[in-house]
Amino acid sequence: MQKTGLYALAGITLFALVFAFVPTGRRDAGTGVTLSGVELRLYPSRDPDAVWSFRAAKVDSDPLQNRTRLTGLSGGQRVVKEKDARGRYTGRMTLDARLTTPDLTIDGQDNMTTRQARITLVKECADIDLTGNEQTLVRIEGGRGFYAPVAKVRSPFLNGDYQKLQMGFDFNIEDVDNDNSVTYSDLDTTERCVNGQRVKA
């Protein structure tokens, strides 16, 4: 009787040890989602009047890191909800900016980062080439604008090469490294901006 009890106890112990070391599906399962050929819209919580839209060849979403990475990006643009004189939404949208970049990472605060991008501000016909580095990426922040360690601005009436540029979507330079930046204002320009297009003056 004692031997039977010892054998039963040994069997239970062996089963428990084997069960403890067998990998479970939960441990090996991935936590993210990967999608291909996606069109998506982003409604930044800190920029409620704006909507971003993109087409991406691949979207990788990682809920644990609270981050989504878009690759093979195209058709990036920002539209702004139109308001009437009383501040009420009319239901119409206006194209405000275009974004050209091969990839983009969106964090949980709706901030977007990448190594290199071009933002075109439609109203000003301004092309802003943004370049990041190993330490600091190009950053696009909802409700604020964009930042880059190195930036080149080209427009019909203002050109410049900038270091540490912080600019709003209203084409206002909020901060810049003045000691290492240069602005060129062409008062004799032969171009002007009409409905988002550069035309000869």
Side-chain angles (χ1 to χ4, degrees):
M1 187 73 176
Q2 285 184 334
K3 286 187 177 180
T4 304
L6 288 173
Y7 289 147
L9 182 60
I12 292 170
T13 304
L14 180 62
F15 177 77
L17 287 172
V18 170
F19 185 76
F21 288 102
V22 170
T24 64
R26 179 175 294 179
R27 189 175 300 169
D28 292 338
T31 57
V33 174
T34 299
L35 303 172
S36 299
V38 176
E39 292 188 17
L40 62 124
R41 290 186 179 183
L42 177 66
Y43 299 86
S45 58
R46 292 182 295 169
D47 195 7
D49 292 342
V51 180
W52 285 91
S53 60
F54 309 96
R55 290 190 298 273
K58 185 178 178 184
V59 176
D60 294 297
S61 180
D62 188 337
L64 291 182
Q65 296 188 20
N66 202 12
R67 150 179 105 180
T68 300
R69 181 167 173 77
L70 315 178
T71 52
L73 202 70
S74 63
Q77 63 180 28
R78 177 182 188 260
V79 296
V80 177
K81 301 173 188 175
E82 185 182 283
K83 292 181 180 179
D84 62 19
R86 296 183 179 181
R88 296 177 300 189
Y89 292 118
T90 65
R92 292 187 295 270
M93 300 233 184
T94 302
L95 178 62
D96 181 63
R98 294 187 184 92
L99 174 65
T100 305
T101 183
D103 56 72
L104 201 63
T105 299
I106 306 171
D107 67 17
Q109 302 298 314
D110 299 327
N111 295 318
M112 298 177 277
T113 55
T114 186
R115 286 293 302 269
Q116 190 165 3
R118 168 176 279 192
I119 289 181
T120 299
L121 299 179
V122 176
K123 185 179 177 182
E124 293 80 11
C125 297
D127 292 323
I128 301 109
D129 292 314
L130 309 167
T131 304
N133 54 41
E134 291 295 331
Q135 293 76 32
T136 308
L137 295 172
V138 172
R139 187 172 66 251
I140 303 165
E141 299 178 357
R144 183 171 183 188
F146 42 91
Y147 171 85
V150 178
K152 181 179 288 189
V153 177
R154 297 294 180 263
S155 77
F157 53 90
L158 176 70
N159 298 309
D161 297 312
Y162 300 102
Q163 301 285 320
K164 300 179 180 178
L165 174 71
Q166 177 76 50
M167 179 179 278
F169 287 107
D170 58 359
F171 200 46
N172 180 45
I173 296 176
E174 298 177 359
D175 197 13
V176 72
D177 181 354
N178 290 310
D179 294 335
N180 296 291
S181 301
V182 180
T183 299
Y184 312 92
S185 294
D186 187 359
L187 300 178
D188 299 319
T189 181
T190 59
E191 285 186 325
R192 59 193 179 102
C193 186
V194 178
N195 297 324
Q197 300 292 326
R198 294 188 186 191
V199 297
K200 293 294 183 182

